[in-house]
Amino acid sequence: MIRLESVSKVYTDGGETVALDSVSFTIEKGEFVSIMGPSGSGKSTLLHILSFMDTPTSGKYIFAGVNVQDLDQNDFAHMRNERMGFVFQAFNLLGRQTVYQNVELPLMYNEIRQSERSARIERAIHEVGLDDKTHAEASTLSGGQKQRVAIARALVCNPDIIFADEPTGNLDSKSGAQVMSILAGLNRSGHTVILVTHEKSTASFANRLIQVKDGRIESDTRIQSIQEVNELIK
Amino acid sequence: MLGIIIGISSVIILMSVGASAQNFILGQVKSIGSNLVFVIPGATKGSRFQSPPSVQGIVIKTLIKEDLDALLHEPSILSAAAEVRGQAKAVYENNDTTATFSGTTETYFSVREFNVVRGQPFYAQDVVGLNHVAVLGEKIADTLFGDKDPIGKTFRFKNLAFRVVGILEKKGIGPGGVDQDNLVLIPITVAQKQMLGIDHYNFVTVQANPEYTLEFVKSRINSVIRQNHRITDPDKDDFTIQTLDDAVAILSTITGVMTLFLTAIAMISLLVGGIGIMNIMLVSVIERTKEIGLRKAVGATRTDIIRQFLIESMILTLFGGLIGIALGAAVVTLIYFGVTTFADPTYSFELPMSAIILAFVVSSLTGLVFGIYPAYKASQKSPIEALRYE
């Protein structure tokens, strides 16, 4: 599904900073991958490149058999809309809009028929267990509920991959566990999940852990439990 | 937003006032009578918008009784009335006023549709016999005679005694701003010989025979007067012929330009309003940076973002435009009530549909034009930087 070949990213603003240095790996469809690393290690840059929000300075990125270099900004937008879902640490909901309207947002940029939209939105809201909050204003929800709305929004276009950037960073442990259970459930139902996190407990939901340091892949390991994560990250 | 409201309401008010003034002026011109052709001394050179010299106050003595007599013998002419104008002091007992008089022929009443509502007009024998008779407008009759019945009473006009024989029906302000209800009509011979000391006419009004076209009648008048004045070269004409249509066309052009000019001034407030909208939208783009980032992250293209911000700025200006239209219509209604209550009850106002359509179009165009830059700025934001914006 995803193949990176010697991908580098160099920022030139105010001097040269190498954020990613010749990174290569492959992610297959249906995997649940955690990317961990200290601050400034390049994990967010890696996520941005994987999700077409940034482009590599050099190297090759193949997504679903397509060389990303051959795509333009409009293609990126369409790919993000149709094949990718996003969950952010800060939720990024439209506070004055309802849960329904927030979940509807990606469909506004999609050619899905109006008649099918409502069914999709309601199904996505149901999957995250917020049926009773459908018409509540997003700003009135708790942190955990907000993140579940964000997951529903990420789901509504039925993407191949869900990118989650520190999805539990702003949540208490109970809400965090709830959010991670939902993401794990989505992975079980066939979605590829790629998440960036600082937290070992969050990372332990994945079945593969990629550790990044100084822009390089430090380790890339299959995992099955938190003990294994603890072993890897001491 | 306030700029758009003021701009649009100004457009509505000015277009409405302009259209109403145009209707009023044209109504006055048309009220002169139908099928009329005016013969004015002096030639008009160049543009048809230029007035003949006599209208500009230059005394030209070329139009005389022989011309009127010749015109009255022309089969394509139903009737014709000559006219001279002046001002004099009118006195009755303790009342006095300065009044405009029209020395004219007995045909004037029918040609100009001046109906006598009390008493009678004066007749041909009064003109020939230099009789001191007068037909008064309603207002001057009131000023001089108050509650008394003016018919048969004698007043002094430039130290001559005139007997009132008739009172005209109310006519209002005529073309050129003359208050036709303050007019004193007297036989032209008396006005020429005893009041002004002249032999020529100020102008002649010709009523065309409806069996002929106005163009034909104009050509006949040209021939008759050229023959009388022994003119062979049309470039040497010493008179001008104008129809009401000419006058209407000229006045329409003048009032149209006036309305356009006033509307252009209103457009300046729209421009200021548009710049205001642009600033609001630029602030909105900054405030909503995170939202723009989110929209781009979930699949909005640059075109989608541009479209969204353009629609928002158009809605903003259209909303302002709607308030402006309502405000403009309210002010026009107030002006209408003011004018009809305190000035002229017959004055009619109109709110042209074109003004409303123009206001709609202009307000949405303002939103479109002034929304382009903020929308472009929004579309250029990188989704990562926009999502990180605090």
Side-chain angles (χ1 to χ4, degrees):
Chain A
M1 173 122 230
I2 285 175
R3 196 169 86 234
L4 293 189
E5 291 174 13
S6 301
V7 165
S8 295
K9 179 71 186 180
V10 180
Y11 293 108
T12 49
D13 288 353
E16 201 169 271
T17 311
V18 180
L20 286 181
D21 186 6
S22 200
V23 171
S24 301
F25 61 76
T26 304
I27 295 173
E28 298 301 335
K29 189 170 170 20
E31 276 195 280
F32 190 156
V33 182
S34 282
I35 300 172
M36 291 190 80
S39 294
S41 59
K43 57 186 188 300
S44 289
T45 303
L46 181 57
L47 191 80
H48 293 148
I49 287 175
L50 292 176
S51 60
F52 299 157
M53 290 211 256
D54 205 349
T55 49
T57 313
S58 62
K60 195 190 256 187
Y61 174 16
I62 308 291
F63 179 86
V66 178
N67 188 342
V68 170
Q69 275 181 323
D70 298 336
L71 306 177
D72 62 16
Q73 288 296 327
N74 276 349
D75 296 326
F76 288 161
H78 290 135
M79 287 279 209
R80 281 198 298 267
N81 181 261
E82 289 162 15
R83 308 196 68 165
M84 298 173 180
F86 296 90
V87 180
F88 307 96
Q89 179 177 2
F91 321 130
N92 289 329
L93 299 182
L94 303 175
R96 287 186 185 170
Q97 302 206 1
T98 63
V99 168
Y100 186 97
Q101 288 168 321
N102 270 284
V103 176
E104 188 181 26
L105 191 67
L107 294 175
M108 291 167 72
Y109 308 109
N110 201 298
E111 285 173 4
I112 291 167
R113 284 198 313 276
Q114 193 70 36
S115 55
E116 202 191 319
R117 281 190 184 188
S118 311
R120 277 197 181 222
I121 296 163
E122 281 159 19
R123 197 162 54 234
I125 293 172
H126 177 73
E127 279 199 54
V128 298
L130 286 174
D131 305 67
D132 56 332
K133 299 286 183 187
T134 303
H135 299 292
E137 201 173 86
S139 60
T140 63
L141 304 178
S142 69
Q145 289 171 328
K146 283 180 183 169
Q147 198 59 297
R148 280 147 69 190
V149 175
I151 295 173
R153 182 182 61 199
L155 273 182
V156 76
C157 288
N158 193 26
D160 299 319
I161 305 182
I162 294 170
F163 291 101
D165 190 358
E166 303 277 9
T168 57
N170 280 352
L171 303 178
D172 57 59
S173 54
K174 192 182 163 198
S175 304
Q178 221 173 6
V179 163
M180 287 313 299
S181 299
I182 295 171
L183 287 176
L186 291 173
N187 175 243
R188 279 195 296 277
S189 63
H191 296 278
T192 306
V193 179
I194 299 175
L195 91 93
V196 162
T197 183
H198 273 107
E199 297 165 32
K200 294 175 191 171
S201 58
T202 303
S204 66
F205 281 85
N207 47 35
R208 181 177 166 191
L209 176 65
I210 295 176
Q211 280 189 279
V212 185
K213 193 176 178 188
D214 299 329
R216 291 175 158 273
I217 305 290
E218 201 180 40
S219 69
D220 185 348
T221 322
R222 299 274 154 198
I223 52 168
Q224 285 183 337
S225 67
I226 187 144
Q227 285 75 20
E228 282 179 282
V229 177
N230 284 333
E231 279 298 310
L232 282 165
I233 307 160
K234 288 182 178 166
Chain B
M1 181 83 127
L2 191 64
I4 297 291
I5 294 172
I6 292 171
I8 291 294
S9 55
S10 307
V11 169
I12 292 283
I13 294 165
L14 293 175
M15 284 189 74
S16 171
V17 169
S20 305
Q22 192 167 24
N23 283 351
F24 179 74
I25 293 168
L26 297 181
Q28 293 298 327
V29 172
K30 284 172 183 165
S31 73
I32 295 170
S34 53
N35 274 348
L36 298 186
V37 181
F38 300 94
V39 185
I40 305 158
T44 307
K45 302 290 183 205
S47 158
R48 66 176 183 144
F49 295 114
Q50 200 177 336
S51 315
S54 57
V55 176
Q56 297 168 27
I58 299 164
V59 178
I60 298 176
K61 302 179 177 176
T62 50
L63 201 61
I64 51 173
K65 185 172 184 302
E66 284 69 24
D67 296 322
L68 179 68
D69 291 341
L71 289 171
L72 286 169
H73 282 98
E74 168 58 39
S76 65
I77 290 172
L78 205 62
S79 185
E83 196 174 345
V84 292
R85 285 224 169 153
Q87 283 197 322
K89 191 175 181 185
V91 183
Y92 176 74
E93 294 181 343
N94 292 326
N95 300 333
D96 66 82
T97 183
T98 300
T100 301
F101 65 84
S102 234
T104 187
T105 48
E106 73 286 353
T107 47
Y108 188 82
F109 298 94
S110 62
V111 170
R112 293 290 303 272
E113 295 175 4
F114 270 53
N115 299 323
V116 175
V117 286
R118 277 189 286 160
Q120 59 187 45
F122 54 75
Y123 298 105
Q125 60 266 32
D126 296 313
V127 176
V128 176
L130 279 78
N131 291 343
H132 289 186
V133 289
V135 176
L136 305 183
E138 192 189 60
K139 214 179 270 178
I140 183 127
D142 259 4
T143 311
L144 286 179
F145 299 100
D147 295 337
K148 292 175 188 166
D149 181 7
I151 305 295
K153 300 225 165 30
T154 302
F155 68 102
R156 295 199 72 75
F157 200 32
K158 206 176 182 187
N159 290 325
L160 295 172
F162 280 86
R163 183 167 54 87
V164 180
V165 293
I167 304 293
L168 294 170
E169 94 180 323
K170 197 172 167 58
K171 281 277 243 188
I173 306 288
V178 177
D179 187 352
Q180 297 175 110
D181 299 327
N182 233 349
L183 207 55
V184 178
L185 298 183
I186 56 175
I188 194 165
T189 45
V190 178
Q192 281 179 304
K193 293 183 175 23
Q194 298 175 358
M195 296 185 75
L196 297 168
I198 58 173
D199 286 324
H200 62 272
Y201 297 149
N202 289 153
F203 60 93
V204 172
T205 310
V206 173
Q207 187 177 21
N209 187 333
E211 290 172 20
Y212 299 87
T213 64
L214 269 186
E215 280 311 304
F216 178 77
V217 175
K218 275 169 78 175
S219 72
R220 288 303 306 141
I221 294 170
N222 263 322
S223 302
V224 168
I225 300 196
R226 277 180 196 146
Q227 197 176 347
N228 262 16
H229 292 195
R230 294 184 176 82
I231 295 168
T232 49
D233 179 2
D235 285 342
K236 290 185 178 164
D237 277 350
D238 57 2
F239 61 94
T240 301
I241 295 173
Q242 277 185 352
T243 62
L244 271 184
D245 287 347
D246 296 334
V248 166
I250 291 167
L251 286 171
S252 294
T253 309
I254 292 168
T255 51
V257 168
M258 185 183 78
T259 306
L260 199 67
F261 178 69
L262 292 174
T263 309
I265 292 171
M267 292 292 181
I268 294 171
S269 11
L270 275 178
L271 182 73
V272 174
I275 293 168
I277 291 288
M278 186 163 74
N279 284 332
I280 290 172
M281 293 306 294
L282 282 173
V283 170
S284 167
V285 167
I286 292 167
E287 282 175 350
R288 293 162 66 188
T289 299
K290 259 187 152 34
E291 180 194 323
I292 295 163
L294 171 68
R295 288 181 184 274
K296 291 190 104 173
V298 300
T301 59
R302 285 179 179 170
T303 315
D304 291 325
I305 300 291
I306 287 177
R307 188 185 302 125
Q308 179 192 343
F309 276 85
L310 281 185
I311 289 172
E312 283 182 20
S313 100
M314 282 172 76
I315 287 173
L316 205 62
T317 49
L318 257 179
F319 188 62
L322 279 176
I323 298 175
I325 289 169
L327 185 69
V331 172
V332 166
T333 311
L334 273 179
I335 294 174
Y336 169 74
F337 275 116
V339 172
T340 51
T341 310
F342 300 109
D344 186 350
T346 61
Y347 201 89
S348 73
F349 262 91
E350 72 168 274
L351 183 57
M353 188 48 88
S354 59
I356 294 171
I357 293 169
L358 182 75
F360 260 114
V361 172
V362 166
S363 55
S364 28
L365 271 183
T366 308
L368 187 68
V369 170
F370 289 94
I372 286 173
Y373 180 61
Y376 174 76
K377 289 265 287 185
S379 75
Q380 293 302 304
K381 285 187 184 292
S382 133
I384 308 167
E385 283 165 23
L387 281 168
R388 280 183 186 152
Y389 182 83
E390 291 299 335

